[in-house]
Amino acid sequence: MRIPFVKKSNYVQHGHFVGEVKKTIQGFLFHLRFISRFRFRKANKKDIFYFVFDPDFNHPGLADRLKAIVYCYYIAKQSGCSFKLICTEPFVLEDYLAPNLVDWVASPRDLEYSVTETRFFIYTARRTGVNYRLPQGYQYHCYCYQGDDLFYQTGHPYGQHFGELFNELFRVSPKLQAAIDALRLVPKTYISAHIRFVNALESFENSKYPTLSDEKRLQLISRCKNALVKIANQSDMPVYVFSDSKRFLDSLSDVPVQMLDISQIAHISHTKDENAILKTFVDWYCIANSKLVYRLLADELYQTNFSLYAALVEKTEVIDYNI
């Protein structure tokens, strides 16, 4: 079945409210570092929106970064503003995603700090909303953001307009295309299954998510493998498994599924390794180009958005598979 639109509980809504308050405070404190750059002069470029990946900001994973980019682009577009991206650390974004219909490439040298005509913009979905318009006559800088789906967080179905906006901004770079071509995967001829463990099986990232006991880890691995066997047996196409757990992927030798290279698995927010970053983008597009995507879910698993939004890029159906 396709993923339904689920109305958020009051608890989740409260959680987002608290998150937005924290992000606003965080943004105010973060912006203080730029005070010395401001001058009493007009900005040469106005009605322009810069989304800036400052290396000192605590950035989320790739899917949340892309959601924030795409929906900030939507806000800028609806407001009649040009949209620019600055991402040079820990990787140069255009090494992986090239401009498509929008020339979004910019440099930190393009940023102007005018007391009267520069405005900081903090992106959170509920703070803006789908009908938000930026006042004209300013240069906007967005350093601080949440990885929000602008439409879903404000009562609409998830991923609305994400795919079309993403494809207006991005196409595959030559470097990324070469890595994808080397796999010889023909689009729409395979099925993807995505499982996100975070720290459940081993220490993957520095976060609040705990590692399970040895007994519970073995039980979870067994349940996930049994689910993959069922998916593979009912599929008439090869099934490729994508996961953040090398331990789990190493256990799949007796399961009729396939995998990409698993030697470079890392969270994009916790690595500067070019091969690991490239693999993250390769996984994104391989999932996007699937015929069908299964997102395996359980209480012990992280409910990932990575495969959910990758699938939107090529309008691929996603099935939530509870184990």
Side-chain angles (χ1 to χ4, degrees):
M1 55 181 267
R2 291 181 181 272
I3 299 171
F5 167 58
V6 180
K7 181 177 175 59
K8 290 181 170 54
S9 68
N10 289 334
Y11 173 79
V12 174
Q13 292 178 12
H14 174 73
H16 281 292
F17 172 76
V18 172
E20 288 174 11
V21 171
K22 289 174 64 178
K23 188 62 64 178
T24 300
I25 296 172
Q26 180 188 23
F28 173 77
L29 296 175
F30 189 85
H31 293 150
L32 290 176
R33 70 181 60 197
F34 301 108
I35 287 180
S36 63
R37 302 184 189 182
F38 278 85
R39 298 291 183 269
F40 285 96
R41 62 188 179 206
K42 292 187 176 182
N44 292 317
K45 295 180 180 179
K46 293 184 280 290
D47 299 329
I48 187 168
F49 188 109
Y50 290 100
F51 194 107
V52 186
F53 284 97
D54 191 292
D56 293 325
F57 185 76
N58 185 23
H59 296 284
L62 181 61
D64 283 344
R65 297 186 197 204
L66 292 174
K67 281 189 286 179
I69 289 171
V70 162
Y71 289 119
C72 280
Y73 166 59
Y74 171 84
I75 291 170
K77 184 179 180 181
Q78 294 296 104
S79 304
C81 291
S82 300
F83 183 78
K84 297 291 183 179
L85 272 169
I86 300 174
C87 180
T88 57
E89 294 186 47
F91 59 88
V92 178
L93 183 61
E94 49 265 41
D95 285 348
Y96 307 95
L97 299 176
N100 192 20
L101 303 181
V102 178
D103 180 13
W104 47 261
V105 177
S107 163
R109 296 186 300 273
D110 297 324
L111 298 170
E112 300 176 84
Y113 298 89
S114 166
V115 170
T116 57
E117 294 179 341
T118 298
R119 295 288 182 269
F120 291 131
F121 181 84
I122 300 173
Y123 172 68
T124 66
R126 293 180 182 276
R127 187 172 180 270
T128 54
V130 297
N131 297 316
Y132 185 82
R133 298 294 183 271
L134 298 165
Q136 295 285 302
Y138 298 98
Q139 181 178 125
Y140 293 93
H141 300 180
C142 180
Y143 298 92
C144 303
Y145 64 94
Q146 286 189 169
D148 285 349
D149 182 323
L150 179 62
F151 286 86
Y152 183 48
Q153 301 297 149
T154 51
H156 301 264
Y158 87 94
Q160 194 163 332
H161 303 300
F162 179 85
E164 62 192 77
L165 294 167
F166 180 94
N167 288 314
E168 286 179 18
L169 286 172
F170 303 122
R171 59 182 174 83
V172 177
S173 73
K175 175 180 179 178
L176 178 55
Q177 189 63 61
I180 294 172
D181 290 346
L183 301 174
R184 298 186 177 181
L185 283 178
V186 179
K188 306 303 179 185
T189 64
Y190 59 93
I191 290 168
S192 291
H194 187 212
I195 313 172
R196 182 88 194 277
F197 293 92
V198 189
N199 297 329
L201 301 185
E202 69 251 89
S203 179
F204 178 72
E205 63 179 57
N206 296 323
S207 68
K208 63 183 179 182
Y209 300 103
T211 301
L212 300 176
S213 66
D214 288 344
E215 181 182 0
K216 289 185 177 180
R217 275 185 284 188
L218 292 174
Q219 291 173 353
L220 180 59
I221 289 173
S222 177
R223 286 160 54 204
C224 290
K225 290 175 68 173
N226 288 338
L228 290 175
V229 168
K230 292 178 181 178
I231 290 171
N233 287 340
Q234 69 185 24
S235 303
D236 57 0
M237 295 180 178
V239 176
Y240 281 81
V241 179
F242 298 84
S243 177
D244 57 354
S245 172
K246 189 174 187 299
R247 175 174 180 171
F248 177 71
L249 294 172
D250 282 337
S251 76
L252 297 181
S253 58
D254 57 344
V255 179
V257 295
Q258 301 185 49
M259 295 165 284
L260 306 184
D261 177 29
I262 65 173
S263 63
Q264 299 290 339
I265 297 176
H267 193 285
I268 202 168
S269 297
H270 304 290
T271 185
K272 293 186 178 181
D273 184 278
E274 288 188 12
N275 291 323
I277 293 169
L278 178 61
K279 175 174 171 51
T280 303
F281 282 95
V282 168
D283 285 358
W284 173 270
Y285 271 101
C286 286
I287 291 173
N289 287 322
S290 306
K291 177 67 174 179
L292 180 67
V293 176
Y294 285 94
R295 188 173 66 147
L296 273 65
L297 301 175
D299 290 340
E300 305 93 326
L301 297 174
Y302 182 79
Q303 187 168 318
T304 177
N305 281 325
F306 185 90
S307 50
L308 203 59
Y309 284 84
L312 290 169
V313 173
E314 295 295 338
K315 299 180 179 179
T316 302
E317 182 181 0
V318 177
I319 295 177
D320 273 358
Y321 195 105
N322 292 286
I323 63 171

